[in-house]
Each structure stands twice: as C-alpha cells, then as structure tokens.
Amino acid sequence: MKITLNKDQEVVKTVREGLIAKGGYCPCRVGKKPEFKCMCEEFRTQIADENFEGYCHCKLFYKEK
C-alpha cells in the first residue's frame, strides 16, 4: 500500500488552503465533525480495505494497492 498526494499541484494547493481555513477539517464537507478531520474517517476506512485503490473525498490523497 502506498498513499501519495494528488499529482495535480493545483488541487493540492486548493485543498491545503481549504484545510487551513477550516482548521484541518475537510474543506469539501459541511461542518466540523471529528470524522471530517483530515485524513477523514471515510478515507481511513477505505485504505484499510486492501482492494481499494483511489482518491480520498477531496482528492488530496491517493491510495495505490
């Protein structure tokens, strides 16, 4: 398993700015719930699945098998 940042630097820049503005919470979600804190619960669950390959919700991280 390998987790990397999105190769599109504009996406990375935009999401990081959003994370800073929201205090570390996913900028793509409404509200500040613990499960939305980056790296969000949804992506942590996805990366625990050995068969999952893809991006997190906001496309900041990518998990390779």
Side-chain angles (χ1 to χ4, degrees), residues 34 57 64:
H57 181 78
E64 296 177 40

Side-chain angles (χ1 to χ4, degrees), residues 22-38:
K22 286 190 72 178
Y25 291 89
C26 182
C28 305
R29 299 184 187 267
V30 176
K32 292 184 178 181
K33 297 179 180 179
E35 59 266 26
F36 298 161
K37 189 80 168 179
C38 189

Side-chain angles (χ1 to χ4, degrees):
M1 173 180 72
K2 182 178 178 183
I3 299 173
T4 58
L5 287 176
N6 191 321
K7 292 179 182 176
D8 184 333
Q9 292 302 306
E10 191 61 35
V11 170
V12 172
K13 179 180 179 271
T14 300
V15 174
R16 283 186 168 167
E17 288 171 354
L19 284 167
I20 291 168
K22 286 190 72 178
Y25 291 89
C26 182
C28 305
R29 299 184 187 267
V30 176
K32 292 184 178 181
K33 297 179 180 179
E35 59 266 26
F36 298 161
K37 189 80 168 179
C38 189
M39 178 178 291
C40 70
E41 184 178 312
E42 177 185 5
F43 192 57
R44 289 191 312 265
T45 300
Q46 289 172 321
I47 62 176
D49 177 358
E50 63 186 36
N51 294 312
F52 173 79
E53 182 168 356
Y55 287 101
C56 67
H57 181 78
C58 65
K59 306 242 185 300
L60 179 62
F61 297 108
Y62 185 81
K63 182 217 173 191
E64 296 177 40
K65 287 188 198 179

